């Protein structure tokens, strides 16, 4: 019970001091020291680490057509993806890409649980890298625990300092690589060497580097437990036929340490060695059932399989399986058959349809855009005897990485002509504003508003053409 005290912390006069109970508003963090483990899933995680970081760190150095292959140039508002050049008007493809990622996540989660979290999530990848550095400098799990308990000494100081310096170097290079997607990397590094970078560049390098250092070095499992929203709504995408990392209680219970070694009958295969807990990066006990903190990394599977080898029992006490398979003792063939259930089929059909539409729209995408802006300051006017003229401004965007010559034609009214010239040249990935005068002979159109259309046709490529609607005004007499 919490007593009511006077200010200053002393109990009210004349009353005996009551007992106090501390009410914690949050759970205190317990330091986790994951044990290093080797196995097939550990090798798969490291393969994902190498592949994802090869892509992330390597793409800013890849050239394409004399420029950086992947570059989001915010200054010029151009986004280069290998041979594709996107403009702000093309952000519909970004929305489609996000939809594809969302349905892909739904599908993978329904099939194999948090496989993204366990193998490819940036938090998991960088935590794995930072823990590898920690083990190389501070030693094994027991050595790290012993180092943290002992008082400060020269050895503890240099080991801790070396670890944080290595973490900081990786984090800063990660920040530089991130900014390299927005500022050309080959121009960014000389600026960094000469301390001539801009304020926004240094801000984002330090911000992204600090986020990497804090999340992967200090917060680690706290991000997965409390900050990541995916851990909270993943249960809505699971069902009893989703593959998850699970403990076979029917085979493992009752737990009797060393019972197998002494030959005691009735003991389960689990000898309560706690290796599955020691290797878990979030510090949970998988034997307590499915928990939202489990990221599906399968480190406990490798650990348990290594113990089963030592006590000469078959693998799979902890394994990838489904709740129905564990409860009903289903074989692997039955698990595979249940993959083709309605939820999976619906997700797959929607994902395939969106990917097909996305791919088709990119395939037929025309690398030239045309906007027609009519001069509203001057309505249709008679410039010569029997000649009506309207003034327009053509906004031509050439998204191709080659320059093109375009011929301008106007249709919709008989006898329309374009002045001063009907041929323009637009440089590669450039926008050109072209004022044009469109003339029609008297009597060619109705008085008032007439629908017309402008067409651009590339002289060097017959398939490259675009059309845009406009209005031609014939003055009323």
């Amino acid at each position: 019970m919490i007593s009511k005290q006077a200010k200053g912390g002393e109990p009210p006069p004349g009353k005996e001091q009551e007992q106090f109970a501390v009410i914690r508003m949050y759970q205190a963090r317990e330091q986790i020291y994951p044990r290093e483990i080797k196995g097939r899933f550990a090798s798969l995680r490291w393969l994902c680490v190498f592949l994802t970081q090869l892509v992330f760190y390597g793409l800013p150095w890849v050239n394409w057509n004399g420029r950086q292959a992947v570059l989001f140039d915010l200054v010029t508002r151009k986004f280069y993806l290998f041979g594709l050049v996107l403009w702000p008007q093309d952000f519909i493809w970004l929305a489609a890409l996000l939809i594809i990622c969302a349905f892909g996540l739904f599908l993978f989660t329904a099939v194999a649980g948090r496989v993204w979290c366990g193998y490819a999530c940036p938090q998991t990848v960088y935590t794995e890298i930072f823990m590898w550095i920690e083990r190389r400098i501070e030693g094994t799990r027991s050595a790290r625990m012993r180092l943290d308990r002992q008082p400060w000494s020269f050895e503890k100081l240099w080991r801790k300092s070396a670890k944080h310096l290595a973490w900081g170097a990786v984090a800063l290079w990660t920040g530089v690589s991130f900014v390299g997607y927005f500022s050309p990397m080959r121009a960014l590094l000389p600026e960094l060497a000469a301390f001539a970078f801009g304020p926004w560049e240094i801000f984002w390098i330090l911000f992204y580097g600090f986020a990497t250092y804090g999340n992967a070095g200090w917060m680690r499992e706290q991000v997965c437990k409390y900050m990541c929203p995916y851990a909270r709504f993943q249960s809505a995408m699971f069902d009893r036929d989703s593959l998850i990392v699970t403990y076979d209680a029917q085979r493992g219970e009752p737990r009797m340490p060393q019972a197998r070694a002494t030959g005691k009958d009735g003991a389960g295969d689990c000898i309560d060695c706690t290796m599955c807990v020691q290797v878990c990066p979030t510090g949970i006990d998988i034997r307590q059932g499915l928990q939202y903190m489990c990221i599906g990394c399968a480190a406990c599977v490798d650990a348990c399989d290594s113990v089963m080898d030592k006590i000469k029992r078959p693998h799979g006490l902890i394994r990838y399986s489904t709740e129905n398979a564990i409860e009903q003792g289903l074989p692997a063939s039955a698990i595979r058959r249940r993959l083709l259930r309605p939820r999976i089929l619906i997700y797959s059909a929607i994902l395939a349809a969106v990917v097909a539409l996305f791919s088709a729209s990119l395939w037929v995408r025309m690398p030239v855009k045309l906007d027609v802006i009519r001069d509203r300051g001057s309505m249709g006017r008679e410039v010569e005897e029997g000649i009506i003229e309207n003034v327009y401004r053509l906004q031509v965007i050439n998204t191709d990485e080659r320059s093109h010559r375009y011929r301008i034609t106007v249709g919709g009214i008989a006898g329309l002509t374009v002045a001063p010239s009907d041929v323009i040249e637009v440089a590669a990935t450039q926008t050109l504003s072209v004022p044009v005068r469109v003339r029609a002979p008297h009597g060619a159109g109705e008085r008032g508003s007439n629908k017309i259309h402008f067409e651009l046709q590339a002289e060097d490529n017959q398939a490259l053409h675009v059309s845009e609607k406009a209005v031609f005004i014939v003055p009323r007499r």
Side-chain angles (χ1 to χ4, degrees):
M1 169 173 74
I2 300 179
S3 67
K4 297 178 180 179
Q5 289 189 352
K7 292 184 178 179
E10 296 298 329
K15 292 188 177 181
E16 295 183 358
Q17 186 173 2
E18 300 177 9
Q19 281 191 331
F20 288 82
V22 177
I23 299 179
R24 296 187 180 275
M25 302 303 294
Y26 60 93
Q27 182 180 2
R29 181 190 181 189
E30 295 183 5
Q31 184 67 32
I32 297 176
Y33 299 88
R35 182 187 293 272
E36 186 175 16
I37 190 67
K38 295 182 179 179
R40 50 178 177 161
F41 293 109
S43 300
L44 181 58
R45 280 197 310 278
W46 274 109
L47 176 62
C48 290
V49 170
F50 287 130
L51 291 178
T52 55
Q53 298 317 290
L54 179 65
V55 172
F56 177 73
Y57 291 125
L59 275 182
W61 296 97
V62 177
N63 275 355
W64 189 280
N65 289 338
R67 45 90 180 162
Q68 191 168 306
V70 179
L71 179 64
F72 307 105
D73 195 341
L74 299 179
V75 176
T76 61
R77 291 178 292 182
K78 298 186 184 75
F79 307 97
Y80 300 95
L81 297 173
F82 295 95
L84 190 64
V85 182
L86 299 178
W87 295 62
Q89 299 93 322
D90 298 322
F91 262 50
I92 184 65
W93 281 290
L94 176 60
L97 187 60
L98 293 176
I99 293 174
I100 291 173
C101 292
F103 275 103
L105 184 63
F106 296 163
L107 175 61
F108 298 149
T109 303
V111 172
R114 296 180 67 177
V115 65
W116 159 261
C117 294
Y119 297 93
C121 173
Q123 176 66 19
T124 300
V125 168
Y126 286 108
T127 298
E128 198 76 31
I129 295 173
F130 276 45
M131 287 196 301
W132 180 86
I133 294 173
E134 188 175 58
R135 295 187 190 110
R136 301 287 81 78
I137 297 176
E138 295 188 355
T140 62
R141 178 177 185 267
S142 57
R144 298 198 306 274
M145 295 172 67
R146 186 168 56 251
L147 184 68
D148 284 352
R149 286 195 300 266
Q150 72 183 31
W152 282 99
S153 61
F154 176 76
E155 180 185 9
K156 184 174 182 177
L157 179 63
W158 83 258
R159 287 187 183 276
K160 292 290 184 182
S161 300
K163 178 184 74 172
H164 287 285
L165 285 174
W167 283 0
V170 173
L172 280 178
W173 183 245
T174 302
V176 170
S177 298
F178 173 75
V179 174
Y181 283 92
F182 301 90
S183 294
M185 180 64 82
R186 285 176 170 78
L188 180 63
L189 287 187
E191 291 178 359
L192 292 175
F195 293 95
F197 37 76
W200 283 111
E201 292 172 337
I202 189 60
F203 170 80
W204 284 109
I205 289 173
L206 294 178
F207 178 84
Y208 199 82
F210 178 76
T212 304
Y213 173 79
N215 290 345
W218 289 93
M219 300 176 69
R220 293 186 179 176
E221 79 285 350
Q222 302 292 298
V223 175
C224 300
K225 285 183 177 182
Y226 305 118
M227 296 176 63
C228 178
Y230 183 46
R232 303 296 176 177
F233 64 76
Q234 60 166 331
S235 59
M237 294 179 281
F238 280 6
D239 57 34
R240 298 184 64 82
D241 287 311
S242 297
L243 283 173
I244 56 174
V245 177
T246 185
Y247 167 68
D248 191 346
Q250 296 179 7
R251 172 184 160 187
E253 303 297 327
R255 307 173 200 168
M256 295 185 183
Q258 300 301 320
R260 287 285 173 185
T262 58
K264 186 174 181 179
D265 294 331
D269 282 354
C270 179
I271 62 173
D272 206 18
C273 63
T274 71
M275 280 290 292
C276 56
V277 181
Q278 295 179 34
V279 300
C280 180
T282 59
I284 66 171
D285 189 343
I286 194 63
R287 297 172 296 178
Q288 295 177 1
L290 179 63
Q291 300 156 68
Y292 79 89
M293 296 87 78
C294 176
I295 62 173
C297 66
C300 54
V301 178
D302 287 333
C304 188
D305 285 349
S306 68
V307 173
M308 292 297 105
D309 287 336
K310 294 177 182 178
I311 64 174
K312 302 188 184 308
R313 297 297 296 165
H315 290 180
L317 179 59
I318 300 175
R319 64 184 183 272
Y320 274 111
S321 187
T322 69
E323 292 184 85
N324 282 333
I326 291 292
E327 293 178 2
Q328 303 172 24
L330 300 177
S333 58
I335 296 176
R336 289 192 294 269
R337 282 196 302 271
R338 296 196 178 198
L339 286 178
L340 300 178
R341 54 193 187 275
R343 172 181 294 194
I344 303 301
L345 295 177
I346 292 173
Y347 284 161
S348 300
I350 295 175
L351 182 61
V354 175
V355 170
L357 290 174
F358 178 77
S359 303
S361 64
L362 282 180
W363 180 260
V364 301
R365 172 178 174 267
M366 192 63 63
V368 59
K369 302 180 186 300
L370 173 64
D371 288 327
V372 179
I373 304 172
R374 190 176 179 283
D375 186 359
R376 299 185 183 275
S378 63
M379 303 297 284
R381 58 186 179 180
E382 187 172 348
V383 292
E384 298 177 9
E385 184 64 30
I387 300 297
I388 306 300
E389 179 183 89
N390 281 213
V391 179
Y392 302 86
R393 182 172 296 276
L394 306 185
Q395 199 79 6
V396 183
I397 303 176
N398 179 20
T399 64
D400 198 0
E401 293 193 272
R402 293 190 308 161
S403 61
H404 293 282
R405 286 173 58 87
Y406 295 95
R407 183 170 298 277
I408 306 172
T409 58
V410 186
I413 299 177
L416 290 178
T417 59
V418 178
S421 174
D422 61 350
V423 176
I424 59 173
E425 183 167 356
V426 188
T429 66
Q430 293 295 319
T431 300
L432 182 65
S433 182
V434 184
V436 296
R437 300 189 301 273
V438 177
R439 295 179 175 180
H442 181 69
E446 298 179 357
R447 293 178 180 178
S449 177
N450 295 265
K451 293 182 179 179
I452 63 172
H453 58 272
F454 285 81
E455 289 191 3
L456 283 182
Q457 173 66 61
E459 293 185 341
D460 58 344
N461 186 350
Q462 293 300 315
L464 192 58
H465 67 277
V466 65
S467 177
E468 184 68 16
K469 296 178 181 179
V471 171
F472 188 89
I473 302 295
V474 176
R476 300 179 186 273
R477 292 182 182 272

